[in-house]
Amino acid sequence: MKTINGHAPLVAPAVEMSHERLLLRTLIDNLPDCIYAKDIAGRKILSNPADLKNLRCTTEAEALGKTDFDHFPREIAEKFHADDQRVIEGQPVINREEFFLNEAGEKSWLLTSKLPLHGPTGKVVGLVGIGRDITERKRAEEKIREQAALLDDATDGIWVLDSNMRISYWNKGAERIYGWSAAEATGKKPEDLLFRGTLTPQLQECIKAVNERGKWAGELEGYTKDGRTVIIQARSNIIRDEQGHLKSLMMINTDVTEKKKIETQFLRSQRMESLGTLAGGIAHDLNNVLTPLLFAVEILKDKVTDADGQKLLRALQANVERGAKLVKQVLTFSRGVQGERIAVQPGHLVREIEQIIGETFPKSVGFECDVPADLWPIIGDSTQLHQVLMNLCVNARDAMPNGGKLSIRVKNETLDENYAGMNPGVKPGPFVVFEVADTGVGIPKKVQDRIFEPFFTTKRPGQGTGLGLSTSLGIIKSHGGLISCYSEPGKGSLFKIYLPAKPASAPQENTAMEQANHPGGQEERLPRGHDELVLFVDDEAAIRDVAQKTLERYGYRVLLAANGAEAVSLYASRQNEIAVVITDIAMPVMDGPAEMAALQFINPKVKIISSSGFEFNSGVKTNGAGGRPFVSKPYSAEAMLKPLHRVLTENRPVIGEILTK
């Protein structure tokens, strides 16, 4: 029998093979797995076609007698050699994953098993190995990990049930909502984990609808790990296999607990408005009750001479005056209390506030203001507007117990129909905008939705009644304006007040005249699109509706998404059509930054314009030299269309973003 480098081959040449050996060799050569054998020195003595492919050899003769050092980079060959020596010494390898570099220089993975090869006398003469190519599986696992990472960025709870209705996947959003980790939730039945073992009517309806229609959407009430009740907006879909059998069921849960509380608070606010109407009807009687009490206190002060009596009278007077003030504040909140409406110069209001701040605020609170000389006048009650600004400044001071910076900026701004559509009750035209910003502790998101409610306050008892902002809201509404808040915990707060202005030559009159002379009006002056597809992302339905109408009016096609997750899904399926993405920053499910990261992962050259209401004093990088497109809310059609036109006509991709301080 021929030898190879002094060693007998494992299988003799085909002409000398017995029928059994020929069958065995035929089987080995036709298996998709890599099968090979090595002698004690690591030289190949058998290599089937699958193994030859990994060695980049065309015939077995090219591989026989050679070692791994002839086929692989030295560091990998040394690893294989050390591994072989351990096997020869009696340490077999069973189903171990290992990799090598393929012809393209990419990692290829094998599931490898190696066993010692014994000679006729029982002595180890080499080893035999088998390797299964698991490269596609490893790549699929990596893809799944990447997709799971994106799902973990979603604020929604996403979990999957297997065919036995046990949890098989549980994302970070579900962990944040319910409190259980993935390890704790996996393998559990949802009714046991989330519903305390009870099939509630809502859960029964969900199960019935999913079985009949394959999907369901509605509200469910469950429990968190720490026992809190949580209300979720749930969407479920069945995933079936090729035969149509149930494979898994996916649930997407949005925590609407706070939203439900807000709806309850809204109803409470409506009741409060009814109370205000009632208070207006009996205000005269209430004042008639309080007035003689105040007179009586003054008379009794002269008649009661002992110290205890005087102390009681002072307390009585303070409480009567406080009652009168509360009645006035409730009236102001519910009805605005029409005062004298005269032309008010915004600069005068700010200078009065500046003087009070300089005299009464602690020196640790720095103050700066920006009041242009060409501000339009406001028609309003200067005392009420002064009260609004003072309320905001006092709140800003209280938000900076360790000091900080308080800023007031005033500017003229003409609001168009686009803006009016985002804010019901506001008419387009000239406005003066007051921006009051601080660098304080900020307002948590869950609290921001409640700050204008009457009697809601985060201050300690005795430090506030909770009527300051609600009164301010009533005053601003009675003036035909609006007030909004943008805040981030740890970064401060920004309040914007929009008050209708009366410039000497009203912009809306000029616009109307121009449109009469030029039928196209402003539409002719603004850049138009050329049927490009724009993906517009915002969680406010009113903003999406107005934006779609505006963009379509100016020659664009529009896709709408209510959050970042929807946007990523739409972009993944239609990225070749979508020219640009306009997205809000603060959204549920998946916010702007997470959405942008996902879009860039799909297409590094994606073009994005971002928007937010939190710009002033927040570190937002706005349009400018070297800046990136960012549109500050609320924005007009012009403010949206010009950056859009610029991004579409630039050659380089541009990403809008909010920068952290």
Side-chain angles (χ1 to χ4, degrees):
M1 182 181 293
K2 294 181 180 179
T3 62
I4 301 175
N5 295 328
H7 294 272
L10 180 66
V11 182
V15 294
E16 301 178 16
M17 286 185 185
S18 65
H19 181 67
E20 291 79 7
R21 286 195 174 189
L22 181 60
L23 287 175
L24 176 61
R25 184 60 198 246
T26 301
L27 176 64
I28 290 173
D29 285 346
N30 286 279
L31 285 174
D33 296 337
C34 302
I35 300 176
Y36 56 87
K38 299 178 183 178
D39 63 16
I40 201 77
R43 292 168 294 204
K44 281 288 177 73
I45 55 178
L46 181 143
S47 181
N48 78 338
D51 185 53
L52 291 174
K53 183 178 179 182
N54 286 334
L55 299 177
R56 302 172 197 172
C57 296
T58 55
T59 64
E60 188 175 17
E62 295 178 49
L64 298 182
K66 295 181 180 178
T67 70
D68 290 330
F69 290 92
D70 297 312
H71 301 288
F72 299 104
R74 185 169 188 82
E75 60 273 13
I76 295 179
E78 288 178 347
K79 175 179 175 296
F80 289 167
H81 179 71
D83 194 40
D84 292 348
Q85 291 304 306
R86 286 190 292 271
V87 173
I88 290 172
E89 292 169 3
Q91 302 177 39
V93 172
I94 305 296
N95 291 339
R96 187 177 65 194
E97 295 179 358
E98 56 186 19
F99 70 89
F100 63 93
L101 298 179
N102 62 20
E103 295 179 3
E106 301 171 336
K107 281 185 179 179
S108 289
W109 291 84
L110 291 177
L111 184 65
T112 300
S113 294
K114 298 179 183 178
L115 298 169
L117 180 63
H118 297 275
T121 62
K123 181 180 178 181
V124 175
V125 296
L127 63 88
V128 62
I130 181 171
R132 175 161 296 171
D133 190 341
I134 57 171
T135 303
E136 289 303 317
R137 192 195 82 188
K138 296 293 288 187
R139 290 174 180 170
E141 290 174 354
E142 180 63 26
K143 190 69 175 178
I144 290 172
R145 282 193 293 270
E146 292 173 357
Q147 293 171 343
L150 288 176
L151 290 178
D152 280 338
D153 285 337
T155 55
D156 274 1
I158 301 173
W159 39 280
V160 177
L161 304 179
D162 60 21
S163 58
N164 296 317
M165 292 294 102
R166 293 184 180 273
I167 296 170
S168 60
Y169 173 76
W170 183 266
N171 81 331
K172 292 290 185 182
E175 183 176 333
R176 286 189 291 268
I177 292 174
Y178 295 106
W180 284 284
S181 67
E184 293 171 318
T186 302
K188 301 290 195 308
K189 289 188 174 183
E191 60 265 31
D192 295 334
L193 187 71
L194 309 176
F195 303 100
R196 295 181 175 176
T198 303
L199 285 173
T200 64
Q202 298 99 323
L203 189 57
Q204 290 176 352
E205 178 190 347
C206 171
I207 295 171
K208 180 181 178 182
V210 168
N211 288 332
E212 292 177 354
R213 300 191 299 271
K215 60 182 179 179
W216 178 83
E219 287 185 2
L220 292 174
E221 186 175 289
Y223 299 93
T224 63
K225 184 178 180 179
D226 57 10
R228 291 183 296 106
T229 301
V230 60
I231 302 172
I232 58 172
Q233 182 68 40
R235 287 89 70 200
S236 62
N237 286 279
I238 278 183
I239 301 172
R240 302 185 184 276
D241 60 20
E242 295 178 355
Q243 287 74 39
H245 300 137
L246 173 65
K247 184 178 180 181
S248 58
L249 185 148
M250 182 175 70
M251 294 283 289
I252 302 177
N253 295 337
T254 303
D255 186 353
V256 295
T257 308
E258 290 301 319
K259 179 183 176 182
K260 286 295 181 181
K261 289 180 181 178
I262 291 169
E263 289 175 355
T264 302
Q265 291 153 6
F266 175 70
L267 294 175
R268 190 182 299 123
S269 297
Q270 288 182 318
R271 290 195 297 271
M272 194 64 201
E273 185 174 346
S274 299
L275 176 60
T277 303
L278 176 63
I282 63 174
H284 183 266
D285 291 336
L286 287 174
N287 285 328
N288 283 344
V289 171
L290 295 173
T291 299
L293 288 175
L294 286 174
F295 279 127
V297 169
E298 293 297 331
I299 294 171
L300 289 172
K301 280 183 179 179
D302 295 332
K303 294 183 177 293
V304 177
T305 57
D306 62 285
D308 288 341
Q310 288 289 328
K311 183 177 180 180
L312 288 172
L313 288 173
R314 286 194 297 272
L316 177 60
Q317 182 179 13
N319 280 278
V320 171
E321 291 174 347
R322 183 169 180 265
K325 184 178 180 181
L326 285 174
V327 170
K328 182 179 179 181
Q329 285 185 305
V330 170
L331 282 169
T332 303
F333 165 71
S334 62
R335 301 169 67 183
V337 183
Q338 285 285 343
E340 184 183 6
R341 296 292 193 259
I342 61 174
V344 179
Q345 294 297 330
H348 294 168
L349 286 174
V350 176
R351 279 190 284 274
E352 291 174 3
I353 297 294
E354 182 178 10
Q355 182 178 354
I356 296 173
I357 289 174
E359 293 174 353
T360 62
F361 278 30
K363 301 302 180 185
S364 59
V365 176
F367 177 76
E368 58 182 47
C369 62
D370 179 10
V371 184
D374 60 346
L375 291 173
W376 297 325
I378 304 165
I379 303 300
D381 186 306
S382 61
T383 301
Q384 292 179 6
L385 297 178
H386 183 280
Q387 178 186 353
V388 171
L389 289 174
M390 202 64 235
N391 277 340
L392 296 180
C393 290
V394 169
N395 286 345
R397 178 202 65 190
D398 295 342
M400 299 182 288
N402 300 319
K405 184 176 72 174
L406 169 62
S407 307
I408 298 179
R409 183 169 71 178
V410 192
K411 60 183 179 180
N412 297 328
E413 191 166 324
T414 301
L415 304 182
D416 59 13
E417 293 180 358
N418 190 60
Y419 173 83
M422 297 184 206
N423 299 274
V426 175
K427 297 179 180 179
F431 280 74
V432 171
V433 185
F434 293 81
E435 297 181 342
V436 181
D438 65 70
T439 58
V441 296
I443 305 171
K445 181 65 176 176
K446 63 181 180 180
V447 175
Q448 287 183 42
D449 297 325
R450 301 188 59 193
I451 58 176
F452 293 107
E453 291 182 12
F455 304 116
F456 175 80
T457 180
T458 58
K459 297 178 181 179
R460 292 194 296 270
Q463 292 188 347
T465 63
L467 282 169
L469 285 177
S470 61
T471 300
S472 298
L473 176 63
I475 291 172
I476 297 302
K477 282 188 173 181
S478 72
H479 281 73
L482 67 93
I483 182 172
S484 58
C485 172
Y486 306 97
S487 186
E488 293 183 21
K491 291 186 178 182
S493 302
L494 166 65
F495 284 84
K496 289 185 177 182
I497 301 169
Y498 292 80
L499 292 168
K502 294 293 182 182
S505 179
Q508 64 265 38
E509 295 173 3
N510 294 341
T511 301
M513 187 178 299
E514 289 175 6
Q515 289 179 348
N517 295 328
H518 304 281
Q522 186 185 28
E523 186 173 351
E524 287 190 349
R525 300 195 306 274
L526 294 178
R528 296 184 60 83
H530 300 283
D531 205 38
E532 296 94 339
L533 183 61
V534 177
L535 175 56
F536 187 89
V537 192
D538 200 291
D539 59 313
E540 293 289 340
I543 296 178
R544 294 196 303 272
D545 182 57
V546 173
Q548 181 176 16
K549 291 177 181 176
T550 301
L551 290 168
E552 288 177 347
R553 179 183 177 188
Y554 284 88
Y556 296 95
R557 292 178 295 127
V558 184
L559 276 178
L560 297 177
N563 54 63
E566 286 186 16
V568 172
S569 177
L570 283 171
Y571 190 83
S573 62
R574 303 185 65 176
Q575 60 175 301
N576 294 330
E577 301 175 63
I578 296 172
V580 66
V581 180
I582 302 177
T583 181
D584 189 22
I585 294 297
M587 296 180 292
V589 184
M590 178 186 284
D591 61 15
E595 172 203 351
M596 292 179 191
L599 293 177
Q600 285 185 281
F601 179 81
I602 297 171
N603 177 14
K605 295 183 179 181
V606 60
K607 295 184 177 183
I608 304 176
I609 299 174
S610 63
S611 70
S612 175
F614 196 77
E615 175 188 2
F616 183 37
N617 195 36
S618 70
V620 174
K621 191 172 185 181
T622 58
N623 296 330
R628 294 172 173 177
F630 174 85
V631 183
S632 178
K633 285 184 176 179
Y635 46 79
S636 62
E638 180 178 4
M640 176 172 60
L641 292 169
K642 286 187 175 179
L644 175 59
H645 176 73
R646 186 171 65 254
V647 168
L648 289 174
T649 54
E650 287 177 343
N651 291 325
R652 59 182 180 84
V654 184
I655 306 298
E657 61 183 7
I658 288 186
L659 304 176
T660 56
K661 289 198 291 186

